[in-house]
Structure formats: structure tokens, C-alpha cells
Amino acid sequence: MKGDKPFKIVILISGSGSNLQALIDAIASGQLEAQIAGVISNKSSAAGLVRAKCSDIPTSVIDHNHFDDRNKYDNRLAETVESYSPDLVVLAGFMRILGPRFVDRFVGKLINIHPSLLPKHPGLNTHQRALDAGDVETGATVHFVTSKLDGGPAIVQASVPIAMKDCADTIAKRVLKIEHIIFPTAIQWLAEGRVEMRGKNALFDGIALPPYGKLVTTETSG
Ligand code: GAR
């Protein structure tokens, strides 16, 4: 929150919306000083829409199946996002690749959470890929979005161990827990003006962060 004006965020989702819920809860507890101006889903069945409605947050559905062209979809999405006049656009499990025009329109104001220790495992099926690679740890990264898929400058990263008995589902649960910690943290830094994107870097208090962003230690188990 800068001055008296609320820091307005718009959140894009495609599914369960557990990260959206973590942001709603962080705002309710005062940990995150922001206002969720709207939630937009590309799927009308996304459970996250129910979470938003339960918290009286305006919602919109823009179904990509109703558009014959990716640019038209991105344009409509951008117009809807802009109708909320956000300070920040947050991809919270939004499972569509956004075209360069959309990304350029919001560059520096567009962040994503990704379930891996980027630059490892961009794209999909991250937990199975971490297992297949024999990784001993994995995690989550919050990063600015650029036109390189999951390749924009990282803001924060946290890791969890991978145990011998793990499968993709058990890892997903453990990673989600840390996502719910680092996402509100990163957005609060943005709201306070402590984090910004300049050129190819994410800056924290004016100093360029390393490629993995800030490392946060989280105490989670199970
Ligand atoms: C989260 O694990 C998020 O990191 C991931 O989708 C899940 C959404 O969960 N995002 C991506 O894979 C983006 N490429 P949620 O709907 O419960 O927040």
C-alpha cells in the first residue's frame, strides 16, 4: 500500500484457486496490504471462482474456447484486466500461455507463481519431471512474466525436500504449502514498492536480485 491508495491486484486463475485463497486470507489477516479488485478465469468450472464469490470479489470468465484466435483472446483478457485498473496482475495457476502483446502491455506489473525451482523445469508436469531427474529438492518460484515461458526475473524462491517415497502428488501438496507462503510475501514487497522489475532484473530495495530471486526458508512438513 503506497500512501492511502489500496494496492489493487487482479488475479487470473484456471483451477482450484488455493493460491487465490492464500492471498484472500493474507489480506484478511493484515499480512498483505492489498485489495483484490477482480478474479478472472478462463474456465467457468474453476473452483477458485467460488472462493472469490464467497469473499465478495468481482469475477469474470473469459473462456478461450470461445475465441478462434489467440490474439483476440489476449485482447479481450487485457481489456477486462484493465477495466479493474490494477497496480499488479497476478497469475495464480492460470494455465494459458499469454502472447507477447499481452505481456508487453503489463510488463513489470505481471507476476506468476511456478511450481519448480526455476530455471529448472519450466512448463508443465514439474513434479514428475523433478522426480524423473532424480532431484533431491524442488520448490516454487514467484517471478515477473516476460515473453520467455517461465523465464522472467525471479522475485522469491523456496524449496522443499524430495523423499524416496514421494510421488508427484505428495510433492505437489508440499510445494503448494510453500506457494501459499511466498506468494503473499512477494506481493507485499511489490505493494510496498520494495520489489520492481528494471530491464532484465528484479530489484529488491534497488539492488538486483540473483537469478533465483530471494531465498525464503519455510518450515513445512508432510
Ligand atoms: C500451483 O501449483 C501453481 O504453481 C501452478 O498451478 C497450481 C495452481 O494451484 N501453476 C502453474 O503450473 C503455472 N505454470 P491453485 O489453483 O490451487 O492455486
Side-chain angles (χ1 to χ4, degrees):
M1 183 119 32
K2 285 182 189 160
D4 288 339
K5 254 180 78 207
F7 187 75
K8 279 169 73 176
I9 61 180
V10 167
I11 303 181
L12 274 56
I13 61 166
S14 297
S16 146
S18 71
N19 275 292
L20 164 66
Q21 189 66 53
L23 298 178
I24 292 170
D25 295 346
I27 290 170
S29 73
Q31 185 210 338
L32 173 58
E33 294 163 293
Q35 177 200 334
I36 304 176
V39 168
I40 305 172
S41 173
N42 64 318
K43 291 190 175 171
S44 59
S45 59
L49 288 169
V50 179
R51 298 180 192 266
K53 283 175 190 152
C54 286
S55 294
D56 293 324
I57 298 166
T59 59
S60 323
V61 176
I62 308 176
D63 187 337
H64 56 278
N65 293 309
H66 298 164
F67 293 77
D68 52 13
D69 175 287
R70 185 177 282 275
N71 280 332
K72 284 185 193 155
Y73 178 78
D74 281 2
N75 277 342
R76 173 69 64 79
L77 188 62
E79 282 162 13
T80 309
V81 167
E82 271 171 359
S83 73
Y84 293 111
S85 309
D87 296 298
L88 184 72
V89 184
V90 174
L91 308 182
F94 185 68
M95 303 308 278
R96 293 268 312 162
I97 293 175
L98 295 163
R101 276 215 202 120
F102 184 99
V103 172
D104 289 348
R105 208 154 153 175
F106 297 103
V107 74
K109 288 171 57 176
L110 180 61
I111 63 166
N112 178 45
I113 190 156
H114 182 78
S116 80
L117 296 174
L118 290 171
K120 272 193 170 182
H121 312 309
L124 299 174
N125 302 321
T126 55
H127 305 314
Q128 190 55 52
R129 284 162 59 208
L131 281 171
D132 294 347
D135 295 350
V136 294
E137 63 171 7
T138 186
T141 308
V142 179
H143 64 94
F144 285 105
V145 175
T146 62
S147 41
K148 184 175 175 208
L149 178 69
D150 299 324
I155 299 168
V156 58
Q157 194 166 78
S159 59
V160 296
I162 296 180
M164 290 293 280
K165 60 180 183 346
D166 269 323
C167 64
D169 282 351
T170 55
I171 296 173
K173 283 197 187 106
R174 199 174 303 134
V175 169
L176 268 176
K177 278 191 192 171
I178 61 163
E179 292 188 30
H180 300 163
I181 298 168
I182 64 172
F183 217 6
T185 302
I187 296 172
Q188 178 62 20
W189 289 337
L190 283 145
E192 291 170 350
R194 299 192 74 183
V195 166
E196 62 178 312
M197 182 172 149
R198 203 176 298 162
K200 291 187 173 157
N201 291 312
L203 307 190
F204 191 93
D205 290 344
I207 297 167
L209 284 165
Y212 42 79
K214 254 185 140 33
L215 291 182
V216 166
T217 312
T218 57
E219 285 174 37
T220 59
S221 59

